[in-house]
Amino acid sequence: MVTQSQFSQIQFQAVLNNFSMLYNVMKAVNFVDNAIVQLSNDGMKVIVEDAKSIQASAYITRACFSDYKLAITKPPSSDTGDTQPFIAFGLNLKVFTDCLSMFTSGDYNSSLKMIQKGTGAPLIVILEQHGEDSLITECSVRTMEPFDCMELDFEEEQQIVSKINVKGAEFFQLLSEMDRNCDEIEVAISPDAPHLMFHSFGELHSESSVEITNTSDMLITFSCTDASRNRYKFHHFRLAMRTLALASKVALRTNSEGLLGLQVMIENNDSSHIFVEYFILPLMMDNDQTTM
């Protein structure tokens, strides 16, 4: 157990009074074992990716924590002066979620404290179950050197060809009704009707499609400057659906190269928000039909 005298040596310390939603989000993005954790003054970011074709980043904002302390001693490695400095390390996400699962069942009032002393030190997870029979469990999760991951973003605003905000529950329902046995899904977005179309391709040449106009109740906002049509592995959408099941709102964006971004907003227990952003690479480029 970490003693009070050791707290002066701690680089990172954070407390979540209710961590059930954090546990649900971590389970949802745990489609690979190892993740990168980035700690900044804005909160905690957990990044996972698979086969250089899908990446998920979970943002647990600082507002989610009742206590959040971070001591960053070294400047950011980037040359850009406006880059937010952060501390990064690798973490086995399955081990981390297994630790959290010990106090997530039942109607207990449980809190989570996370502590790390510094580079190379384990992430200490302290779970406390409050009540008449107060229980405290401490786990020490080994950290690793951070590994390289894809740098995917939509910083070039002029490359974005569509921005769509949809209601989370309706979007999850739409994907749930698609053929679960399909191999690929085509997403077509156009300034003209039908403005949004999902077309699935399955075994034995089976196909199904859903068309949505910009007047649909499912859409919150719709903006499209250029028509696009790109195919993706439906397996990647299945991975994202674990998080979409928790979503209150989803923002879809595509750029001129067919990169699809899904930013999922999740209501936390205390009216704060957790965001999960997926980047899914297309199977084909729209302009030259080259397989990626």
Side-chain angles (χ1 to χ4, degrees):
M1 185 68 66
V2 177
T3 64
Q4 190 67 34
S5 62
Q6 291 175 297
F7 275 84
S8 59
Q9 308 169 19
I10 290 171
Q11 180 175 251
F12 168 67
Q13 174 185 328
V15 176
L16 276 169
N17 290 330
N18 188 323
F19 61 91
S20 60
M21 187 55 70
L22 171 69
Y23 171 72
N24 290 334
V25 170
M26 293 297 100
K27 286 287 288 183
V29 300
N30 187 201
F31 51 82
V32 293
D33 285 345
N34 293 330
I36 296 176
V37 177
Q38 294 180 350
L39 305 172
S40 73
N41 289 323
D42 290 336
M44 179 178 181
K45 180 179 178 181
V46 180
I47 307 169
V48 296
E49 67 179 34
D50 184 36
K52 299 295 183 182
S53 55
I54 180 172
Q55 183 183 95
S57 299
Y59 302 85
I60 302 89
T61 60
R62 187 167 184 151
C64 295
F65 298 92
S66 59
D67 180 58
Y68 190 91
K69 296 186 176 87
L70 180 66
I72 301 179
T73 57
K74 60 181 181 180
S77 57
S78 175
D79 295 332
T80 56
D82 57 349
T83 300
Q84 173 80 306
F86 61 84
I87 295 166
F89 54 86
L91 188 74
N92 188 305
L93 199 55
K94 185 180 186 306
V95 173
F96 179 62
T97 54
D98 284 347
C99 292
L100 298 183
S101 69
M102 289 188 289
F103 279 7
T104 53
S105 61
D107 298 325
Y108 304 117
N109 177 20
S110 303
S111 62
L112 161 69
K113 178 180 287 185
M114 292 181 288
I115 298 170
Q116 194 198 26
K117 287 187 176 183
T119 304
L123 179 67
I124 299 172
V125 178
I126 302 173
L127 306 171
E128 183 171 0
Q129 180 180 299
H130 307 283
E132 294 183 1
D133 299 322
S134 182
L135 299 175
I136 297 177
T137 298
E138 179 178 314
C139 305
S140 180
V141 184
R142 183 174 64 89
T143 61
M144 301 169 280
E145 287 291 324
F147 49 87
D148 293 333
C149 61
M150 297 181 291
E151 295 185 7
L152 302 173
D153 56 50
F154 287 106
E155 289 185 357
E156 296 295 332
E157 188 72 21
Q158 65 271 20
Q159 292 186 353
I160 299 176
V161 296
S162 61
K163 297 179 182 179
I164 306 170
N165 290 320
V166 300
K167 297 175 182 177
E170 285 86 342
F171 186 59
F172 172 74
Q173 185 65 31
L174 181 150
L175 292 178
S176 298
E177 293 173 355
M178 302 291 288
D179 182 3
R180 287 301 190 94
N181 295 317
C182 69
D183 301 317
E184 300 176 5
I185 184 168
E186 186 175 78
V187 181
I189 307 172
S190 172
D192 305 314
H195 301 93
L196 178 61
M197 183 178 73
F198 296 91
H199 195 133
S200 66
F201 301 85
E203 297 178 354
L204 302 176
H205 304 287
S206 63
E207 299 182 21
S208 64
S209 63
V210 178
E211 296 181 352
I212 303 167
T213 65
N214 60 4
T215 58
S216 170
D217 291 337
M218 186 182 78
L219 303 187
I220 302 171
T221 62
F222 179 89
S223 173
C224 178
T225 56
D226 294 302
S228 63
R229 184 182 296 268
N230 296 284
R231 284 197 189 190
Y232 307 89
K233 286 185 178 180
F234 192 70
H235 171 66
H236 294 154
F237 278 76
R238 292 192 196 100
L239 295 179
M241 283 178 67
R242 301 175 186 177
T243 303
L244 291 173
L246 309 170
S248 58
K249 186 170 70 172
V250 182
L252 289 82
R253 291 176 293 172
T254 58
N255 67 7
S256 56
E257 296 180 343
L259 179 65
L260 175 66
L262 301 173
Q263 188 179 71
V264 183
M265 185 176 78
I266 300 169
E267 302 284 348
N268 200 24
N269 303 291
D270 56 357
S271 300
S272 59
H273 297 95
I274 294 176
F275 295 91
V276 182
E277 187 164 28
Y278 288 87
F279 286 109
I280 304 176
L281 276 69
L283 292 173
M284 282 187 174
M285 302 297 289
D286 219 12
N287 51 2
D288 58 8
Q289 300 295 298
T290 306
T291 302
M292 294 192 65

